[in-house]
C-alpha cells in the first residue's frame, strides 16, 4: 500500500475510533448519572446532545470515509448515499448549533440578575427541549436538498461541480447549484459561529468584572471557593468554542477554495473531511477532563465497576 494512503488511512482510523469512543463514554456517563442521580443539570443535557450529534457525524462521515481510504468499494447504493449524506448534514449542522446554544445558555446563567435577565434566567431551562426540537426540525428542513444530489459513485470520470466523497458523490449538475449550496451552508455556519463567539466574549467580560469586584470585598480564599465553579464552567465553554472556531476556520478556508474549482483534487477533499471532523473527535475528551461528574463516573467504573451503582458526591455543572 502506498505510504501516503497508509498515513491517511491511519489518521482517519485514529480520529474515527477515538472520537466514537470519547462520545460514547460521555453518553454512557450521562445515562448513568440520569439513572443514579435522577436529575441532569440543563448544561449537562446540552453537552449530552452535543456528544450525540458528534457521534452521529463521525458514524455517517468518518466511518465510510475510513473504509473507502482502505480500498473498500461500493459501500452504498443511491438510496444509502442519500440517507447517509442527509444524516451527516443534519449532524454537522446540529454540532455547530448546539455549541452555539451552549455558549448562549452559559452567558445567560452567569449574567447579572438585572430586570431584563431575570425572566429569561427563570425560563431558560424550560426552553431547552423546545429548542432541541426546533433545531432538529429546522436543520432537517434546511438539509432536505442534500439527498436529491447524492448518488453512488459511477465508473468513469467524476463530472464537474461534483463533491467526490469517495463512498458517495454529491452531483450539483451546474455551477449555480454548486455555489448556492456552498454559500447557504457557510452562511448558516457563520451566523452560529458569530453568535457563539459573541456569547463567549460576553462570558469572559462578565467573569473579569465579577472577579475584580469580589477581590475588592473578599479575601482571595473566599473568592476562590465561591467562584471556582463559574470559572471552570466558563473556561470549558470558551475552550469548546475556541476549538470549534479553529477547525471551522480551517474547514471553511478549504471549502472556499473548493467553490472556486470545478473538480476538487481528492487530497483537498480528504483534508477538509479530516479537519471538519476534528471537533467531533476532540470535544468529548475536553468534556471528560473538565466535567467532574463524567470524570467521577468513569474513574469509578475503571477502578471498581461493581460500585458504579453507588451515589457519587455532588459536583459542579461542568
Amino acid at each position: 500500500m502506498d505510504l501516503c494512503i497508509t498515513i491517511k488511512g491511519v489518521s482517519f482510523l485514529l480520529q474515527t475510533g477515538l472520537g466514537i469512543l470519547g462520545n460514547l463514554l460521555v453518553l454512557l456517563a450521562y445515562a448513568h448519572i440520569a439513572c443514579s442521580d435522577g436529575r441532569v443539570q440543563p448544561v449537562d443535557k446540552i453537552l449530552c446532545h452535543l456528544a450525540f450529534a458528534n457521534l452521529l457525524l463521525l458514524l455517517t462521515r468518518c466511518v465510510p470515509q475510513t473504509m473507502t481510504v482502505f480500498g473498500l468499494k461500493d459501500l452504498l447504493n443511491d438510496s444509502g448515499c442519500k440517507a447517509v449524506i442527509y444524516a451527516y448534514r443534519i449532524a454537522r449542522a446540529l454540532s455547530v448549533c448546539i455549541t452555539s446554544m451552549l455558549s448562549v445558555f452559559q452567558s445567560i446563567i452567569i449574567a447579572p440578575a438585572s430586570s431584563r435577565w431575570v425572566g429569561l434566567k427563570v425560563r431558560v431551562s424550560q426552553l431547552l427541549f423546545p429548542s432541541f426540537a426546533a433545531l432538529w426540525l429546522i436543520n432537517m428542513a434546511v438539509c432536505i436538498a442534500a439527498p436529491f444530489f447524492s448518488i453512488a459513485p459511477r465508473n468513469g470520470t467524476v463530472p464537474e461541480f461534483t463533491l467526490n466523497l469517495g463512498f458517495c458523490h454529491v452531483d450539483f449538475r451546474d455551477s449555480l447549484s454548486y455555489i448556492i449550496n456552498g454559500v447557504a451552508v457557510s452562511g448558516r455556519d457563520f451566523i452560529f459561529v458569530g453568535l457563539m463567539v459573541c456569547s463567549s466574549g460576553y462570558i469572559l467580560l462578565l467573569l473579569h468584572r465579577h472577579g475584580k469586584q469580589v477581590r475588592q470585598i473578599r479575601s482571595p480564599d473566599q473568592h476562590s471557593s465561591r467562584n471556582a465553579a463559574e470559572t471552570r464552567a466558563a473556561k470549558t465553554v470558551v475552550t469548546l468554542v475556541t476549538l470549534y472556531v479553529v477547525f471551522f476556520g480551517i474547514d471553511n478556508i478549504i471549502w472556499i477554495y473548493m467553490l472556486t474549482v470545478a473538480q476538487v483534487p481528492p487530497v483537498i477533499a480528504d483534508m477538509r473531511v479530516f479537519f471538519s471532523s476534528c471537533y467531533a473527535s476532540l470535544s468529548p475528551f475536553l468534556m471528560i477532563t473538565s466535567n467532574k461528574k463524567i470524570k467521577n463516573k468513569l474513574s469509578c467504573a475503571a477502578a471498581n465497576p461493581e460500585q458504579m451503582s453507588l451515589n457519587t458526591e455532588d459536583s459542579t455543572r461542568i
Side-chain angles (χ1 to χ4, degrees):
M1 185 180 291
D2 183 77
L3 179 61
C4 182
I5 296 177
T6 302
I7 294 174
K8 183 169 63 175
V10 171
S11 299
F12 275 115
L13 185 62
L14 288 174
Q15 182 190 58
T16 304
L18 290 175
I20 290 175
L21 175 63
N23 285 293
L24 280 175
L25 287 175
V26 171
L27 291 173
L28 290 174
Y30 276 130
H32 189 268
I33 289 170
C35 293
S36 60
D37 298 349
R39 186 172 181 270
V40 179
Q41 295 290 341
V43 72
D44 292 325
K45 295 176 183 177
I46 301 176
L47 290 172
C48 186
H49 212 94
L50 177 61
F52 176 77
N54 287 334
L55 177 62
L56 181 61
L57 184 153
L58 292 168
L59 290 174
T60 55
R61 189 68 170 95
C62 290
V63 169
Q65 184 76 30
T66 303
M67 297 170 70
T68 301
V69 169
F70 281 108
L72 296 177
K73 305 293 184 182
D74 303 322
L75 293 176
L76 300 168
N77 56 19
D78 285 350
S79 298
C81 280
K82 294 180 187 301
V84 168
I85 297 301
Y86 185 48
Y88 164 70
R89 287 292 185 91
I90 294 173
R92 185 183 182 279
L94 285 172
S95 182
V96 60
C97 292
I98 295 171
T99 304
S100 179
M101 179 181 175
L102 176 66
S103 63
V104 171
F105 177 87
Q106 192 65 40
S107 67
I108 293 173
I109 291 299
I110 70 169
S114 60
S115 57
R116 59 180 177 177
W117 287 106
V118 171
L120 190 56
K121 278 175 173 287
V122 173
R123 297 185 57 198
V124 67
S125 298
Q126 302 171 356
L127 296 174
L128 282 184
F129 284 109
S131 298
F132 288 146
L135 288 177
W136 272 94
L137 292 174
I138 291 171
N139 286 306
M140 288 173 68
V142 170
C143 299
I144 194 63
F148 294 103
F149 298 106
S150 303
I151 58 174
R154 305 288 193 261
N155 292 329
T157 60
V158 179
E160 291 186 341
F161 310 112
T162 298
L163 294 179
N164 182 6
L165 307 181
F167 58 94
C168 289
H169 289 171
V170 184
D171 184 5
F172 290 101
R173 306 290 197 284
D174 55 55
S175 61
L176 181 61
S177 300
Y178 187 65
I179 293 174
I180 288 176
N181 172 78
V183 171
V185 172
S186 297
R188 177 203 60 203
D189 290 351
F190 273 109
I191 290 173
F192 282 100
V193 169
L195 186 60
M196 70 174 73
V197 169
C198 292
S199 300
S200 298
Y202 182 61
I203 290 172
L204 292 176
L205 179 62
L206 287 176
L207 288 179
H208 176 69
R209 289 178 176 175
H210 185 62
K212 289 176 64 176
Q213 293 173 354
V214 172
R215 280 194 295 270
Q216 293 174 358
I217 61 177
R218 288 188 173 91
S219 67
D221 290 340
Q222 288 174 315
H223 166 73
S224 176
S225 61
R226 185 177 180 85
N227 295 281
E230 285 188 354
T231 302
R232 185 164 50 249
K235 286 181 178 180
T236 301
V237 172
V238 172
T239 305
L240 276 172
V241 169
T242 302
L243 190 67
Y244 188 91
V245 170
V246 169
F247 291 119
F248 173 81
I250 298 173
D251 177 19
N252 277 272
I253 289 172
I254 300 174
W255 179 234
I256 291 171
Y257 166 77
M258 292 172 64
L259 291 177
T260 63
V261 297
Q263 289 187 328
V264 179
V267 65
I268 300 297
D270 290 338
M271 286 175 59
R272 182 175 182 240
V273 173
F274 182 82
F275 284 112
S276 65
S277 304
C278 280
Y279 176 74
S281 297
L282 297 177
S283 59
F285 296 100
L286 176 61
M287 296 181 203
I288 291 171
T289 56
S290 61
N291 191 310
K292 283 189 175 182
K293 292 180 185 178
I294 299 177
K295 191 185 299 184
N296 288 343
K297 292 295 182 183
L298 296 179
S299 298
C300 180
N304 200 359
E306 64 270 16
Q307 294 298 320
M308 278 295 290
S309 59
L310 297 178
N311 292 331
T312 57
E313 63 180 358
D314 292 338
S315 55
T316 56
R317 287 194 297 264
I318 292 184

